[in-house]
Amino acid sequence: MDNNQKGLIFLGIFLAIGLSIAGYFISQTIYNSKVALNTAEAKGLAERRVRADTATWELVFSVTGKSKGELPKLYAEAEQRQKVIIDLLKEKGFKESEIEIGVIDYYPEEYRDDKQNLVDQKHSLIGSIVVNTHDVELVSKVRANVNTLIAQGIDIENRAPAYLFTKLNDIKPEMLREATKNARVAANEFAQNAGVNVGGIRSARQGSFFIKDAGNSYGDTEKIEKDVRVVTTITFYLTD
């Protein structure tokens, strides 16, 4: 067999292999296109109105003097104010285990003129008390009572509580089932218009759970009532 004949044989083999590979990819493309045409993607929404189960509430108090020599007196006054606040919280129903006492910090300030001569000074002691509780309703009620301490001469900052919902795992499974069900309802509406039927699930994507304060609020810690929502994206098979 001469070289020309060998070359023709190898060329024929390569052409046969090339045609078979091309045929495979063409058939796969047709199959994938058919699968894509026989599916429908739909989104399903699930929402829940829940109530916060945990509250964190911080109270900040302070005492101020004009000289560093007043510090012992100021510390005694700060500790007395701390006790008054704690006694009020306990009287209104909070447990000792729910009350966290912060340290009392010292903040000196000096005011000088253009020649750096000391013209005034202020020495402040600032303390904090944090309430962590599951009794969120009690926090809402007691906040107003704390403001009465201002009338007693106590410099207190009654900060807004943070209301949190921490039991998301308890409602996740049910919400996901509802979202999937709603996605199938949406797919059925599409299928009816197209004259086909909805079959099994080909794929599913779960969106993130989103918790925000109830209503039109954009926050997520200010209100006791919360709205929880999740959106799932489901691809269904369609049948004749």
Side-chain angles (χ1 to χ4, degrees):
M1 182 180 297
D2 58 26
N3 290 334
N4 288 337
Q5 288 178 321
K6 289 181 180 179
L8 290 174
I9 290 173
F10 282 121
L11 178 60
I13 292 172
F14 287 135
L15 285 173
I17 294 172
L19 288 172
S20 63
I21 293 174
Y24 170 79
F25 283 115
I26 291 171
S27 64
Q28 285 297 104
T29 301
I30 293 173
Y31 172 77
N32 291 334
S33 297
K34 184 177 180 181
V35 170
L37 290 172
N38 288 339
T39 59
E41 183 180 277
K43 294 184 182 296
L45 169 68
E47 292 182 304
R48 286 285 186 283
R49 175 66 57 88
V50 299
R51 294 181 67 80
D53 57 83
T54 302
T56 299
W57 175 32
E58 184 177 19
L59 301 166
V60 179
F61 62 93
S62 63
V63 294
T64 304
K66 287 291 186 179
S67 69
K68 194 170 183 179
E70 295 181 76
L71 281 179
K73 176 185 174 182
L74 291 176
Y75 269 108
E77 186 178 348
E79 289 177 345
Q80 176 59 27
R81 292 188 175 185
Q82 183 184 74
K83 183 178 183 303
V84 169
I85 297 170
I86 293 172
D87 287 346
L88 175 64
L89 293 174
K90 290 181 178 179
E91 177 190 336
K92 295 301 180 182
F94 290 109
K95 302 173 185 176
E96 188 171 348
S97 60
E98 297 174 320
I99 302 172
E100 179 183 339
I101 303 172
V103 298
I104 298 176
D105 292 316
Y106 169 51
Y107 295 96
E109 295 178 80
E110 293 183 345
Y111 304 92
R112 299 180 180 273
D113 60 18
D114 294 341
K115 296 181 180 180
Q116 296 302 307
N117 295 316
L118 183 64
V119 295
D120 198 5
Q121 57 183 314
K122 183 169 71 171
H123 299 267
S124 301
L125 296 176
I126 300 177
S128 65
I129 297 170
V130 178
V131 176
N132 293 294
T133 180
H134 296 300
D135 194 344
V136 296
E137 298 289 352
L138 186 58
V139 170
S140 180
K141 293 176 183 177
V142 176
R143 282 198 72 202
N145 297 109
V146 170
N147 289 334
T148 62
L149 296 178
I150 298 175
Q152 301 178 30
I154 297 179
D155 187 359
I156 186 169
E157 183 182 350
N158 188 351
R159 294 185 175 175
Y163 297 108
L164 307 172
F165 177 68
T166 65
K167 297 181 179 179
L168 181 60
N169 286 337
D170 292 347
I171 63 174
K172 266 186 177 182
E174 184 181 350
M175 288 189 68
L176 288 174
R177 284 194 294 269
E178 181 180 336
T180 301
K181 179 180 178 181
N182 290 335
R184 183 174 288 277
V185 171
N188 279 328
E189 292 180 0
F190 165 80
Q192 287 177 3
N193 293 330
V196 294
N197 298 311
V198 176
I201 295 176
R202 182 188 179 197
S203 63
R205 299 194 305 275
Q206 174 195 318
S208 299
F209 278 82
F210 183 66
I211 304 174
K212 72 177 187 68
D213 292 332
N216 296 323
S217 174
Y218 291 99
D220 59 359
T221 63
E222 297 175 1
K223 295 183 179 181
I224 293 178
E225 289 196 334
K226 312 286 182 185
D227 288 330
V228 183
R229 72 194 303 267
V230 65
V231 176
T232 58
T233 303
I234 312 291
T235 301
F236 295 95
Y237 286 107
L238 298 177
T239 61
D240 296 333

